[in-house]
Amino acid sequence: MPKLLAGVIGAGSIGDVHLTGYAAAKRDVAIHAICDINPRRLAEMGRKYGVPAARLYTDFKVMLQKEKLDVISVCTPNAFHFPAAAEALNHGAHTLIEKPMTLTLAEGRKLKALAAKSKAKTMVAFSHRFIGMNMAAKKLIGRGTIGKPFMIRVRYAHGGPYPGWAQGDWFYRKKLAGGGALLDMGIHAIDICQYLVGPVKNVSAIVRTLRKKIEVDDNAVLALDFSPAKCLGYIECGWTSGPGFGGIEIYGDRGSIVLELTGEPRIMRGVNRPDGSREILVEKIEVPAGPSHWPLQMESWVRHILGKKTVTGIPGIDEGLSSLAVALAAVESSKTGKQISVKI
Ligand SMILES: NC(=O)c1ccc[n+]([C@@H]2O[C@H](COP(=O)([O-])OP(=O)(O)OC[C@H]3O[C@@H](n4cnc5c(N)ncnc54)[C@H](O)[C@@H]3O)[C@@H](O)[C@H]2O)c1
């Protein structure tokens, strides 16, 4: 079978991760073309992945007109996800879109319609679904190990994507990013909540710029109400955090699951009495050895295109749309001071 010809739009830090994933799948995929508006970065990535100058582009429309690509990754700043993914789907390419999928629900719905019209497969890069302990937790919850979850808490926070990660400060600019920590870290947290518990029905939130001198939010707190699951949840996300708790806790009727980013994933059972006395049983969660989340996400994407079984479900346009709807409801709640019901 001929190899799938892949192209990446936006060859920055996460574009490099996607390119590494395609390079690792070299039995099935050939990196054929790369697009980035920064010629220096483009040349660097071309050299790194052996793509000749003739197939390096600064305009994704030109790249898609000139090359017949089977697979596209959209790894640009958020504002370009919609036009680049729409163009890729119009060309019939299997399209992997970075998060947040789009900036508005209207754009998301248009992508959904385009994807339905095309034969192409789609995926939204909710990479946290591919973290071993998160997949293990999903299985444990599915088996009823902790009973039915009634509370989930997610804290995803770091010191901010620039400097240190991104190629430039676009994450902090409203027009390019659409939003701040909420659309960056918060959208991962929203997706993981919906992956582990189910759909969010109502949201109350405070979304603020507390410390950074930027155009978008740097911290947010969300209170979630899930339905049909009888469960509440809360999310803290931010770009001003030093080391501290980072991870997920899920509390069920028969135990809890604690997934700390820096600690051992565990199930906890026992009793916590009002007088402060406790009996606690801790059981380590075994996480199967394997690639880390980004390589596994890319391997799963390629397997999905080839129609092969994947380690966990593939988040698609519906998941991209529903997480965006929760994030946008949080923004509205913060502006109005009201609880907002999520509409997709
Ligand atoms: N899923 C994850 O775990 C994860 C992690 C980090 C970033 N992301 C997402 O990936 C996307 C890119 O983030 P990043 O951290 O790689 O940023 P980055 O700044 O490192 O890279 C963005 C690249 O896109 C290029 N670019 C800008 N406009 C373009 C255009 N119109 N056409 C082509 N290229 C263009 C820039 O020159 C830059 O090289 C964002 O949407 C971000 O939210 C996802």
Side-chain angles (χ1 to χ4, degrees), residues 8-18 35-39 41-42 57-60 74-81 83-84 97-100 124-128 161-162 165-171 176 183-185 187-188 293-294 297:
V8 170
I9 304 175
S13 299
I14 208 72
D16 195 9
V17 166
H18 286 228
C35 168
D36 198 291
I37 56 167
N38 176 346
R41 178 73 181 177
L42 186 58
Y57 294 88
T58 52
D59 183 329
F60 62 80
V74 176
C75 302
T76 61
N78 306 342
F80 307 113
H81 290 183
I97 312 162
E98 266 305 339
K99 42 54 63 173
V124 177
F126 284 124
S127 48
H128 287 242
Y162 184 79
W165 165 263
Q167 303 302 304
D169 69 353
W170 69 266
F171 271 101
L176 292 171
L183 274 191
D184 177 35
M185 306 298 290
I187 202 109
H188 275 304
H293 66 305
W294 281 330
Q297 168 191 278

Side-chain angles (χ1 to χ4, degrees), residues 144-156:
T145 306
I146 59 162
K148 287 205 165 92
F150 61 84
M151 185 68 70
I152 181 165
R153 171 165 95 114
V154 182
R155 185 169 196 281
Y156 283 168

Side-chain angles (χ1 to χ4, degrees), residues 140-151 250-257 267-271 281 283:
L140 290 169
I141 293 169
R143 276 186 221 134
T145 306
I146 59 162
K148 287 205 165 92
F150 61 84
M151 185 68 70
I250 309 123
Y251 295 88
D253 301 319
R254 292 199 283 122
S256 45
I257 290 175
I267 299 171
M268 296 178 74
R269 299 183 203 276
V271 281
L281 299 166
E283 198 184 311

Side-chain angles (χ1 to χ4, degrees), residues 195-251:
Y195 172 67
L196 293 175
V197 174
V200 172
K201 192 177 174 216
N202 301 304
V203 189
S204 306
I206 305 176
V207 184
R208 292 276 187 273
T209 312
L210 296 179
R211 292 287 182 274
K212 288 193 189 298
K213 301 272 178 283
I214 57 177
E215 295 170 10
V216 290
D217 55 280
D218 62 14
N219 279 278
V221 175
L222 280 61
L224 311 172
D225 179 10
F226 295 82
S227 179
K230 283 190 179 169
C231 182
L232 300 179
Y234 57 103
I235 288 173
E236 297 169 45
C237 59
W239 279 345
T240 63
S241 269
F245 178 82
I248 307 172
E249 293 159 310
I250 309 123
Y251 295 88

Side-chain angles (χ1 to χ4, degrees), residues 96-178:
L96 171 55
I97 312 162
E98 266 305 339
K99 42 54 63 173
M101 184 176 77
T102 54
L103 294 188
T104 67
L105 292 179
E107 288 175 344
R109 290 186 203 110
K110 280 185 198 156
L111 281 193
K112 187 172 169 163
L114 282 177
K117 242 179 37 191
S118 109
K119 286 198 189 87
K121 295 195 178 173
T122 52
M123 174 170 170
V124 177
F126 284 124
S127 48
H128 287 242
R129 290 187 181 217
F130 297 90
I131 294 175
M133 62 184 177
N134 295 354
M135 290 188 291
K138 169 91 176 158
K139 281 192 185 144
L140 290 169
I141 293 169
R143 276 186 221 134
T145 306
I146 59 162
K148 287 205 165 92
F150 61 84
M151 185 68 70
I152 181 165
R153 171 165 95 114
V154 182
R155 185 169 196 281
Y156 283 168
H158 55 54
Y162 184 79
W165 165 263
Q167 303 302 304
D169 69 353
W170 69 266
F171 271 101
Y172 301 155
R173 289 156 62 189
K174 176 86 181 155
K175 233 178 120 181
L176 292 171

